[in-house]
Amino acid sequence: MKWFSRTALLLFFLFQDAHVEAAATREVLESRGKKGSKKLKPRKVSLSFTVEQEPPLALEIVDFGKPGQPPANVLAFDSVVKVEELGLTGELSGLITTVDLAEEDEVFLDRIVNIVFDFDEVGQIVVGGKTRYPNRPADEDDVEIVIDVPQTRAIVGGTLDFIGASGQVTTTRNSDGSYTHLVELI
């Protein structure tokens, strides 16, 4: 009988917590509906610099799904980078995974990007996020982002001099195949 009493008491408190939490959530949502959502205030950038990337040394598509560019295909790349204003050189390595279920008439595909700027002996900046890529036929050579259309992704961490890094990177593909990355650390 004691087991039943303890279990019933536990369930009662769990139910009460869930009920209170649901009521609080409902109250917040209702108040937002009346007042509108508040915009977040962006944090100030403490350091920004421009990374120049040479055209990728290699682009390798690993086709995990059906032939072409359906979900789960991965584009791997490596490239040389430099930051003239800080005297840094290094390498940019990345994996770009297609996550969109493409329709034939769809113009863009969503891809999840995981890239690492590795600056010699200074540290790494780790970047991740979702990006829109053109939906091109599988036999087309151009698998990169559209020229002169910036893509912004989150800085999710770093090492050594960049330990605890956060902020964003805005990437633009240039007409000569190189890339320009504006790094903004907060």
Side-chain angles (χ1 to χ4, degrees):
M1 193 68 168
K2 287 183 180 179
W3 174 84
F4 176 77
S5 298
R6 287 181 188 162
T7 303
L9 193 57
L10 178 62
L11 289 173
F12 172 78
F13 284 117
L14 287 174
F15 175 76
Q16 287 298 96
D17 277 352
H19 180 70
V20 169
E21 202 170 317
T25 303
R26 186 172 37 257
E27 184 177 303
V28 168
L29 292 174
E30 287 172 358
S31 70
R32 284 185 182 167
K34 292 175 186 172
K35 298 177 184 176
S37 61
K38 296 180 180 179
K39 291 187 178 182
L40 298 175
K41 292 182 181 178
R43 293 172 59 189
K44 292 186 179 181
V45 174
S46 63
L47 174 66
S48 68
F49 54 89
T50 302
V51 179
E52 297 297 334
Q53 174 193 337
E54 295 179 7
L57 300 170
L59 290 171
E60 185 69 35
I61 296 177
V62 181
D63 199 347
F64 286 110
K66 299 173 188 172
Q69 294 185 20
N73 285 359
V74 176
L75 171 66
F77 68 92
D78 277 317
S79 189
V80 175
V81 295
K82 65 181 174 185
V83 181
E84 287 188 20
E85 61 200 274
L86 300 177
L88 299 176
T89 59
E91 181 178 55
L92 175 63
S93 302
L95 296 172
I96 302 170
T97 306
T98 304
V99 295
D100 202 351
L101 300 172
E103 303 294 328
E104 282 187 37
D105 61 343
E106 196 167 3
V107 178
F108 291 97
L109 296 175
D110 293 330
R111 294 186 179 170
I112 300 293
V113 177
N114 297 298
I115 59 177
V116 177
F117 292 90
D118 189 358
F119 298 108
D120 303 330
E121 298 182 27
V122 177
Q124 299 175 356
I125 296 175
V126 181
V127 178
K130 189 169 97 170
T131 304
R132 311 271 295 156
Y133 278 72
N135 184 10
R136 297 189 175 108
D139 58 352
E140 192 169 317
D141 289 338
D142 192 1
V143 293
E144 300 172 70
I145 61 176
V146 177
I147 294 171
D148 292 327
V149 177
Q151 302 279 343
T152 302
R153 304 173 189 113
I155 296 172
V156 296
T159 64
L160 299 175
D161 289 359
F162 300 110
I163 191 168
S166 64
Q168 66 182 24
V169 175
T170 302
T171 300
T172 305
R173 181 180 175 204
N174 304 314
S175 60
D176 64 357
S178 67
Y179 285 80
T180 302
H181 306 273
L182 175 60
V183 176
E184 297 174 291
L185 299 169
I186 56 173

